[in-house]
Amino acid sequence: MSQRPPLRIADPPPPGWPDWMERWVLPYVREPALLPVLLALLGHVVVVLVPLMLGTWRTGHGAVVALLVAAVLGSVGLVGFESVRFRRPGAVTLTVLGTWAVSVGLAWFCERTGVM
């Protein structure tokens, strides 16, 4: 009688990021020559996050809160994926945390000074 192979619940995840992330996102984080492009892209993200934060604080409208929660969950997903897959925070975590820190700081400044 032949031996059956042991039952595996799931295959282990392949090492590294998904292909689309390797091709379209990570070159901007890894290549020093692309740093100005990365900063410009993150600046655009900040320009979107700050009004969402201000709208949430000032009005609490459901759609604005939902968009901000979606942005937070997307960020947590990226950081969590990197932490689970690589067992440590890396460049993506640093980029996400930096973007949120600048966004929160700018939103606080705008709220205190009434700029926006």
Side-chain angles (χ1 to χ4, degrees):
M1 187 168 243
S2 65
Q3 287 282 337
R4 290 176 40 185
L7 180 64
R8 290 188 311 185
I9 302 300
D11 290 328
W17 289 93
D19 288 338
W20 67 268
M21 189 85 167
E22 286 283 348
R23 184 173 303 147
W24 297 105
V25 177
L26 291 181
Y28 295 100
V29 176
R30 293 180 179 153
E31 287 293 326
L34 294 175
L35 184 61
V37 177
L38 176 66
L39 292 178
L41 289 172
L42 294 179
H44 284 82
V45 172
V46 169
V47 167
V48 171
L49 289 177
V50 169
L52 285 177
M53 289 179 197
L54 291 174
T56 299
W57 290 332
R58 292 177 180 166
T59 67
H61 191 269
V64 177
V65 173
L67 287 172
L68 188 60
V69 167
V72 169
L73 291 176
S75 297
V76 168
L78 281 174
V79 170
F81 181 86
E82 185 174 51
S83 297
V84 167
R85 183 65 60 97
F86 300 109
R87 308 270 191 250
R88 62 175 172 71
V92 172
T93 299
L94 180 66
T95 304
V96 168
L97 292 178
T99 302
W100 278 102
V102 170
S103 298
V104 168
L106 189 57
W108 176 83
F109 175 78
C110 290
E111 179 66 26
R112 298 287 293 179
T113 61
V115 172
M116 287 179 77

